[in-house]
Amino acid sequence: MKSDNDHIKIDGIDKDILRYLMAEARKPILEIARKIGISGAAIHQRLRKLESSGLISGAKLVINPKVLGYTTMAYIGIYLDKAMSNPVAVKELEKIPEVLECHYTTGNWSILIKVLCRDNEHLMQVLNRDIQPIEGVSRTETFISLDQQIDRQITI
Amino acid sequence: MKSDNDHIKIDGIDKDILRYLMAEARKPILEIARKIGISGAAIHQRLRKLESSGLISGAKLVINPKVLGYTTMAYIGIYLDKAMSNPVAVKELEKIPEVLECHYTTGNWSILIKVLCRDNEHLMQVLNRDIQPIEGVSRTETFISLDQQIDRQITI
DNA sequence: GCTGAAATAGTAACTTC
DNA sequence: GAAGTTACTATTTCAGC
């Protein structure tokens, strides 16, 4: 039984399989099999092992929010009152669909969140109507991402 | 021909399909077909349409970096000298595999990046050996993510 | 959106080292 | 017994309707 923190051994073949699927999760496994030089069933067995080891945590369809009209991405640093517990604030943030990430951070803020909005007006609404009213939120600092220039996963 | 910024029409069935696949990109399409009540081929047609519209930009295998021993995630705000052009700095940041995201932001910094390291010592190395030496980088502010409490995509 | 044929994936039993 | 192949069934993909 492997816990989340055990390091596991993966060989070159595992790495090849992962690299292909990290870029294109629905790539035909037989195609990978032909390129690597082993059978499709063998790849499937390795994938099952990588899944049960916890290294593979899933596969997600990536969608382009711009096509839906969501063009404004921003990071917001949130200062919480000392009395306010982080988990309670996170529970409230979870209810806001525009909040995509939430980190409990060292440094100036208690919380750093990433939000995705249609435009600046929508962002202002989320700040004023959804975030500021949360109990314990004293102040926020907003950084709009004018352009996301790198977006990738860990390199295998 | 649709450009990246056109909004497209998607109906309830499209939304259902997207919701299933955004959570589990490798979920059998026939399984979704049975739940929604249309044929697998119909779903496939809709997926092709969604792909060519640009809404679906791909499918990625999600891996758990903790299993590989990467436990320290941090955001780093970077101040650039006025003379330094952003694209040149980004080109250098791209060469650092630990840099997962890079945003050109409004506010205090020129650039906000997200890095993933094995531990605090590794993070220190990346800062001192890889980031600080980049020409034009004058100062950095680091925020370690003690815990990522929300991580999701846009809600459809 | 459906149908049906060809390609591909997933599973299990068998083989080899 | 760990890793792979072969053989078999289910699913996906693609063309024609």
Side-chain angles (χ1 to χ4, degrees), chain B residues 47-129:
Chain B
L47 281 174
R48 270 211 309 253
K49 223 187 293 177
L50 291 170
E51 274 165 23
S52 65
S53 78
L55 178 55
I56 294 178
S57 55
K60 284 181 183 172
L61 199 71
V62 182
I63 71 163
N64 180 358
K66 282 183 189 163
V67 177
L68 293 175
Y70 284 74
T71 58
T72 298
M73 180 180 286
Y75 282 93
I76 304 174
I78 299 178
Y79 294 86
L80 288 184
D81 295 338
K82 280 180 187 149
M84 180 58 171
S85 76
N86 175 290
V88 180
V90 172
K91 222 169 196 171
E92 292 303 310
L93 289 168
E94 255 172 13
K95 295 179 191 164
I96 307 172
E98 288 87 354
V99 175
L100 301 189
E101 291 186 33
C102 171
H103 300 266
Y104 184 31
T105 54
T106 66
N108 292 346
W109 314 299
S110 309
I111 294 177
L112 178 64
I113 66 174
K114 181 200 225 172
V115 298
L116 181 61
C117 299
R118 283 186 297 278
D119 47 32
N120 287 349
E121 195 186 327
H122 183 195
L123 171 60
M124 198 176 67
Q125 269 182 29
V126 169
L127 272 165
N128 294 336
R129 188 194 55 196

Side-chain angles (χ1 to χ4, degrees), chain A residues 65-132:
Chain A
K66 283 181 190 164
V67 178
L68 294 175
Y70 284 74
T71 57
T72 299
M73 181 180 285
Y75 282 92
I76 304 174
I78 299 178
Y79 294 87
L80 289 184
D81 295 338
K82 279 181 187 146
M84 180 62 171
S85 77
N86 175 289
V88 179
V90 172
K91 223 169 197 170
E92 292 303 311
L93 291 168
E94 256 172 13
K95 295 179 190 163
I96 307 172
E98 289 87 353
V99 174
L100 301 188
E101 291 186 32
C102 170
H103 300 265
Y104 183 32
T105 54
T106 64
N108 293 344
W109 314 300
S110 307
I111 294 178
L112 178 63
I113 65 174
K114 181 202 230 171
V115 298
L116 182 60
C117 298
R118 283 186 296 278
D119 48 32
N120 287 348
E121 194 187 325
H122 183 195
L123 172 60
M124 198 175 67
Q125 269 181 29
V126 169
L127 272 166
N128 294 336
R129 189 194 55 197
D130 299 328
I131 296 177
Q132 290 285 5

